[in-house]
């Protein structure tokens, strides 16, 4: 059984224009990984401003790390986050569990990209996404790299959109955002691209993302900001709770917009960290919007928790509960399942105390919240009102733990028949 | 949309007769918790042999512990596992998140049961399963207890089956097993009852189980055996990964069959532990057989792991992967998802080493295993052969980690459209 996914979200979430950071050229072409012979499957980003790009990266914690993850991690470490100027990505094949050949292929993708820009060795990070356990059609990729890098890069909106599109596997829309912010009178620009919708095809995997800015940022500051922002964005989303072998998020700053270097401890640091975090959240939310089979977009707000980590674990526990997610799909105000998932989260006994726990639905239309549980005692819920609230695509669930003063947000989607169809029936 | 669940499994998994332990009377009646006015909803077990029943129990680790869990835990602790002779269970209402009234109701169920058997206080353990967040129809239960305890208990197969049936919520069949084993020339009998199929109705929850034997066992031995056996049975199954507020497993030994008391360190201890563990596995597997929407019964064997705990965590990670479970539903030999779930299990970096990892399918019909991954390198899989193997209801997946000499088994089911229907659409 094949399925047809609605493309209506594409119109709502794909920008028609954008303002992009200075000093970056990007693009995407078809090089011959995807078997349809035409879909874009090779994406590149290059820092044209200088040879001094500052880069930070976070990678999957999965023990079966794909070859490109191992290669990119080595490069970021060896180069101490400096002099990294390009990103090369193929979609359609994850180059994961591919043995020694896979490592050589990932290294060759770096070498060829370095060579066409006459950069020193290891100036490029590499990413792959797609099928696990098959070797790359490496000749197609290596011949595609010069064609993309020398003939098809640019800085127009169309180039950025091509680049984002070439990251996609079975995403229903490319994920691209841009914004400007100001630090000490200088205007900087951020652009972000990512892909991911769960694992739509059998063996298809991966969250990939990168964001780039023309702000001048020190390596230490960029590393710290990336970790902070990813903890509050890409690490705070869940479609199905499966952590892939290829997850990679990269940030590159080239300083092309001028101004003083932003370092840890400078007044501009907080501003930059806040801007990048909000931006990363915006990008990460697009992955949830495009979640496999998703009909709901759910924001979990965990407040007054004993620590940020505990708040995060509790949100994660709810977001990954199959029973909670199917209830949301069924538009069922089933707070017992929310409570149950809070209760089995892996936190200490001081972190969740039934008599201080409160749960409410916050309607997407700004109307009055609906209380479900107040200090551990169930409310008599107006089921009609609950149905009204749950009829919206968007829903906010507020959990007040009353055990501290930390908080977090987390984004997830529901669990639908279509999810099972996509993941179970795809090849039948 | 309502759903109709096949009852064909009932015929295969419900015994037509049994040999039951001496000195126990059991039964089940309808007392008025379930709204259909007829389904059995009150179950009781009573040790008629003496006032000296030895009991051990394990309870949910969920922080929102239902009132009966809190009460039973207190009793087991206060009585030091001794002089516990009865179990009273209602189905249809979990008495969870019900505040002070819920605690009083659970305590009253104990008091009334103690009173009708003229036992001392706290001689009864209490369990409830069903809807969360509503108070019990306690008058119906308290008037039902004498009717059940004084007029409807017995030791025939029909009584045991009634008792098992009265535990059920939306289970499709009652879960009852019995067996005999020999220690030092004396024959002992075990009987086990449990309920659970995930959370079928909105707010329906819970795994409940108890097993009883006429062997004479010391409190220390019974506690140790229960923990050991539950770790390898009820803690080694997963339908949907959601841990309920009411999970409870109780063991009671009354010594009615005579013989020397079996204590820790005696030669008979190992025999008893092994017998109870195999028995508990048999019982726990019935829960997986009755898993919501399940079309597959999957045994995960994790071998050559660095520790039992690591083996367990890895099996648990696979068993709860939505992507793995939907692939099994789709009869898709998707070993990438198995590997992915092994790779993100929460174990140390020495516990999973890609180059020593092996994964095979072991066919239910005893034919040749199908290798999927050998020492971290993917095999060229014969898809036709994989389809043949996956066409069976039963499947064994062998994971050899090559990082130690510990092993474990774990049982799970697949994730189907019907699961989503049951849990999402039930009230619509």
């Amino acid at each position: 059984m094949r399925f047809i996914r609605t493309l209506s979200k594409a119109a709502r979430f794909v920008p028609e224009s954008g303002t992009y950071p200075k000093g970056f050229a990007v693009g995407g072409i078809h090089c011959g990984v995807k078997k349809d012979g035409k879909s874009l499957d090779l994406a590149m980003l290059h820092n044209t401003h200088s040879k001094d790009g500052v880069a930070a990266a976070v990678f999957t914690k999965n023990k079966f790390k794909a070859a490109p993850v191992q290669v990119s991690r080595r490069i970021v470490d060896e180069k101490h986050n400096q002099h990294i100027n390009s990103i090369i990505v193929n979609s359609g094949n994850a180059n994961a569990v591919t043995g020694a050949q896979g490592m050589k292929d990932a290294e060759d993708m770096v070498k060829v990209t370095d060579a066409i820009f006459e950069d020193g060795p290891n100036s490029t990070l590499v990413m792959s996404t797609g099928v696990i356990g098959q070797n790359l059609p490496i000749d197609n990729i290596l011949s595609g790299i010069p064609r993309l890098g020398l003939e098809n890069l640019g800085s127009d909106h169309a180039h950025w959109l091509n680049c984002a599109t070439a990251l996609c596997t079975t995403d229903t829309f490319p994920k691209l955002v841009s914004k400007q912010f100001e630090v000490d009178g200088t205007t900087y620009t951020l652009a972000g691209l990512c892909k991911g919708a769960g694992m739509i095809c059998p063996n298809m995997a991966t969250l990939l993302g990168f964001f780039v800015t023309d702000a001048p940022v020190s390596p230490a500051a960029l590393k710290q900001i990336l970790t902070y922002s990813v903890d509050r964005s890409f690490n705070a989303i869940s479609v199905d709770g499966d952590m892939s072998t290829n997850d990679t998020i990269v940030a590159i700053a080239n300083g092309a917009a001028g101004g003083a270097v932003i370092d840890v401890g400078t007044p501009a640091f907080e501003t930059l960290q806040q801007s990048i975090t909000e931006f990363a959240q915006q990008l990460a939310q697009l992955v949830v919007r495009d979640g496999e089979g998703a009909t709901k977009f759910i924001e979990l707000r965990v407040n007054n928790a004993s620590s940020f980590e505990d708040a995060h674990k509790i949100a994660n526990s709810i977001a990954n509960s199959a029973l909670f997610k199917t209830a949301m799909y069924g538009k069922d105000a089933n707070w017992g399942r929310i409570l149950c998932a809070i209760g089995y989260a892996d936190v200490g006994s001081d972190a969740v105390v039934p008599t201080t726990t409160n749960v409410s639905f916050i309607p997407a239309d700004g109307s009055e919240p609906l209380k479900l549980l107040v200090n551990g005692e169930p409310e008599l819920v107006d089921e009609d009102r609950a149905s009204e609230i749950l009829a919206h695509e968007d829903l906010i669930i507020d959990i007040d733990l009353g055990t501290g003063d930390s908080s977090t947000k987390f984004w997830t989607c529901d669990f639908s028949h279509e999810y099972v169809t996509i993941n179970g029936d795809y090849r039948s």
Side-chain angles (χ1 to χ4, degrees), chain A residues 142-337:
Chain A
L142 296 184
S143 63
I145 290 174
R147 185 156 53 87
L148 172 55
L150 301 176
E151 298 166 29
N152 287 283
L153 292 194
S155 53
D156 295 345
H157 175 68
H159 288 106
W160 285 91
L161 203 56
N162 273 351
C163 187
T165 304
L167 303 181
C168 295
T169 51
T170 41
D171 304 58
T172 65
F173 58 88
K175 295 164 186 73
L176 169 66
V177 288
S178 61
K179 81 165 181 182
Q180 295 198 302
F181 62 100
E182 198 167 295
V183 173
D184 293 339
T186 307
T187 297
Y188 296 112
T189 307
L190 271 166
L193 305 87
C194 75
K195 64 91 32 176
M199 295 191 177
I200 288 180
C201 281
N203 295 327
M204 285 277 181
T206 318
L207 178 73
L208 294 183
F210 43 94
F211 30 89
V212 297
T213 179
D214 49 17
V217 190
S218 77
L222 195 64
K223 276 173 75 169
Q224 193 167 320
I225 288 171
L226 184 67
T227 301
Y228 180 93
S229 65
V230 168
D231 276 348
R232 285 155 183 81
S233 59
F234 291 100
N235 283 345
I237 60 171
S238 171
V239 171
D240 50 22
D242 279 271
M243 180 204 292
S244 103
T245 49
N246 289 54
D247 294 343
T248 304
I249 307 286
V250 169
I252 295 185
N254 68 358
V261 171
I262 299 170
D263 205 350
V264 182
T266 62
F269 178 81
E270 288 295 329
T271 308
L272 181 68
Q273 178 161 276
Q274 195 55 33
S275 290
I276 289 188
T277 300
E278 284 168 15
F279 186 71
Q281 287 173 342
Q282 196 184 340
L283 202 54
Q285 287 172 17
L286 291 178
V287 175
V288 177
R289 293 276 179 199
D290 203 12
E292 296 171 332
T295 71
K296 294 268 175 242
F297 178 84
I298 302 158
E299 177 170 299
L300 300 170
R301 294 181 183 169
V302 180
N303 293 315
N304 295 312
S306 39
S307 68
F308 174 77
E309 289 69 29
D310 286 347
H312 187 86
K313 281 182 181 174
I314 288 162
N316 189 60
S317 183
I318 301 168
N320 285 312
S321 160
L323 289 166
F324 165 69
K325 290 164 92 87
T326 48
M328 292 298 98
Y329 174 59
K331 304 184 180 66
D332 185 357
N334 205 328
W335 58 265
R337 295 181 182 177

Side-chain angles (χ1 to χ4, degrees), chain A residues 59 63-75 103:
Chain A
F59 301 102
K63 291 180 185 67
F64 291 90
K65 287 179 177 59
V69 168
Q70 298 181 56
V71 169
S72 292
R73 194 166 65 156
R74 174 184 62 71
I75 291 171
M103 289 297 291

